[in-house]
Amino acid sequence: MLRREFLTVRNRLTADDVREAATALAGRARELPELARARTVAAYVSVGSEPGTRALLDALCARGVQVLLPALLPDNDLDWGAYAGEGSLARVRHGGKTALFEPVGERLGPDAVTAADVVLLPGLAVDARGMRLGRGGGSYDRVLARLERAGAHPALVVLLYDSEVVERVPSEAHDRPVQAAVTPSGVRRFPRPA
């Protein structure tokens, strides 16, 4: 129900709202010290009314950062491929789900994400503890579990609209907090768990 509420608000945004927010979001994200020193960033291509990522992806590539983008596997896990600009993307429809933009070319395997210095996560909301509410498909839960198993500790950052930073979202034992949320108006930091 909570997911539906956040999606309803997003779906009311105009194309101009989404475009303006994407520009502001890219500017805020570029201010993050974690991104400034990152050599490899795992990210995603926003679709529909999600907070826009394309300007940020292009800015990272222009700085020489290796950007990894996900490709959805049949079991909802994620494989990864390199982003090299808009021409390196293909629109892929998975069953009845929304079409996604995925990297063309060589697949690097699900473990490629463990080399990332920063993982930019999609979400619908984040709370005061840094707990992220995803869409419910479990793809990024698998990514976070994979990072933990590998002993990898990239900065975890969720990209959201301002209204999606809330007091509390439901969480389960397997959920992992993010260290920061970037919105069009700023960055909110959360303490790393001990």
Side-chain angles (χ1 to χ4, degrees):
M1 184 121 147
L2 189 58
R3 284 184 176 96
R4 201 172 321 126
E5 289 174 23
F6 284 111
L7 287 170
T8 298
V9 172
R10 279 187 179 180
N11 290 334
R12 290 186 189 131
L13 296 171
T14 67
D16 285 341
D17 293 337
V18 172
R19 195 170 26 261
E20 287 172 23
T23 301
L25 188 75
R28 297 293 183 185
R30 285 193 305 265
E31 295 170 6
L32 280 176
E34 295 91 339
L35 281 177
R37 62 180 172 258
R39 298 172 72 141
T40 302
V41 174
Y44 63 97
V45 180
S46 56
V47 294
S49 59
E50 282 186 315
T53 60
R54 296 248 183 140
L56 177 57
L57 298 177
D58 290 337
L60 290 169
C61 278
R63 275 200 4 247
V65 175
Q66 180 184 31
V67 177
L68 302 177
L69 294 179
L72 188 65
L73 295 170
D75 65 355
N76 269 2
D77 203 350
L78 298 176
D79 198 342
W80 298 88
Y83 176 67
E86 193 168 335
S88 69
L89 298 175
R91 191 169 186 260
V92 180
R93 184 171 296 281
H94 295 276
K97 299 176 184 175
T98 302
L100 303 173
F101 290 94
E102 297 182 353
V104 297
E106 180 186 1
R107 292 289 183 252
L108 305 173
D111 288 335
V113 70
T114 63
D117 302 303
V118 177
V119 177
L120 299 177
L121 300 159
L124 294 174
V126 69
D127 70 17
R129 304 167 296 162
M131 300 308 288
R132 179 186 68 93
L133 179 67
R135 286 189 173 255
S139 296
Y140 280 90
D141 291 333
R142 292 176 189 207
V143 168
L144 296 174
R146 180 170 286 114
L147 292 170
E148 193 168 305
R149 282 192 308 274
H153 302 286
L156 303 176
V157 179
V158 64
L159 305 175
L160 299 168
Y161 292 107
D162 294 315
S163 63
E164 296 169 344
V165 179
V166 299
E167 189 57 37
R168 196 152 188 95
V169 297
S171 62
E172 298 180 28
H174 67 270
D175 290 333
R176 297 292 170 257
V178 298
Q179 285 79 53
V182 179
T183 69
S185 69
V187 174
R188 172 86 184 266
R189 294 207 172 264
F190 309 100
R192 276 193 186 247

